[in-house]
Amino acid sequence: MKRILLFMPFLVFLVLGVVFYFLLGKDTQYMPSALIGQSVPPFQLVTLKGEKLKQTDDLPKGSYLINFWGTWCPSCHVEHPYLMTLAEQGVTIIGIDYKDQQTAAKQWLRDKGDPYALVLMDELGQFGLDMGVTGAPETFVVNAEGKIAYRLQGVLNAQSWQMIKAYL
């Protein structure tokens, strides 16, 4: 019995080593969404222009991105030029102006350009809550079947695009 106790520190060290080995190389920033494989949750939002009430049925029929952004978000300033590039390449992007003011958002898009096929206002953040958004920017990939295929927390850039474009 005493001999087994002598090996206990070695066994604990061995178990910890195996655990650390399997965690090496994993993206510690990636947090999967509970909505992966599911449809976009139902919503009713007005457009940025305040014209119409839009619902889930008004979303595009092909693959597209849903991008949560806000004028108050410093990372959204960094991300915006790359969204313009993607829009020029024909990527359909639905913008959700998240917890923002309508006038500030309109001015932002006038100044920086509008990469979005449709911009919806989520002033209270209810749709963001339904989508599990933890902050802005956050982008969801919706595939051609209308299912959420991927969630990106943080800035969408050339590097992250290489990883997520396969989900479209």
Side-chain angles (χ1 to χ4, degrees):
M1 183 68 176
K2 286 186 174 184
R3 287 186 134 183
I4 292 175
L5 290 176
L6 289 174
F7 288 104
M8 284 303 282
F10 176 71
L11 291 175
V12 169
F13 179 76
L14 185 65
V15 168
L16 289 174
V18 169
V19 169
F20 287 130
Y21 174 78
F22 284 109
L23 292 178
L24 283 176
K26 300 234 176 189
D27 183 2
T28 57
Q29 301 298 313
Y30 178 68
M31 183 187 304
S33 170
L35 295 176
I36 300 296
Q38 298 183 24
S39 300
V40 175
F43 66 86
Q44 289 187 336
L45 297 171
V46 295
T47 65
L48 179 62
K49 296 175 184 171
E51 296 171 338
K52 295 172 83 175
L53 195 62
K54 296 288 184 179
Q55 303 176 21
T56 311
D57 295 340
D58 297 321
L59 292 174
K61 298 303 175 210
S63 58
Y64 57 92
L65 303 176
I66 297 177
N67 177 254
F68 285 80
W69 63 280
T71 60
W72 48 266
C73 162
S75 297
C76 298
H77 289 269
V78 173
E79 179 185 64
H80 197 81
Y82 195 71
L83 294 177
M84 293 297 293
T85 301
L86 290 178
E88 289 169 6
Q89 294 173 0
V91 176
T92 303
I93 307 171
I94 305 300
I96 308 295
D97 188 25
Y98 184 62
K99 295 183 176 179
D100 205 358
Q101 295 181 355
Q102 188 177 27
T103 53
K106 285 180 178 178
Q107 186 63 44
W108 164 295
L109 294 177
R110 268 194 302 272
D111 294 345
K112 297 179 177 284
D114 186 355
Y116 304 110
L118 174 67
V119 181
L120 302 172
M121 295 292 301
D122 188 18
E123 291 174 291
L124 300 177
Q126 183 59 48
F127 181 54
L129 189 63
D130 292 344
M131 292 287 286
V133 170
T134 57
E138 200 161 312
T139 303
F140 292 84
V141 178
V142 180
N143 63 23
E145 291 82 37
K147 305 291 184 190
I148 296 171
Y150 191 82
R151 169 189 184 186
L152 175 70
Q153 292 175 298
V155 174
L156 177 59
N157 55 27
Q159 183 180 6
S160 57
W161 177 246
Q162 293 304 314
M163 182 176 55
I164 69 171
K165 70 180 181 183
Y167 291 97
L168 281 174

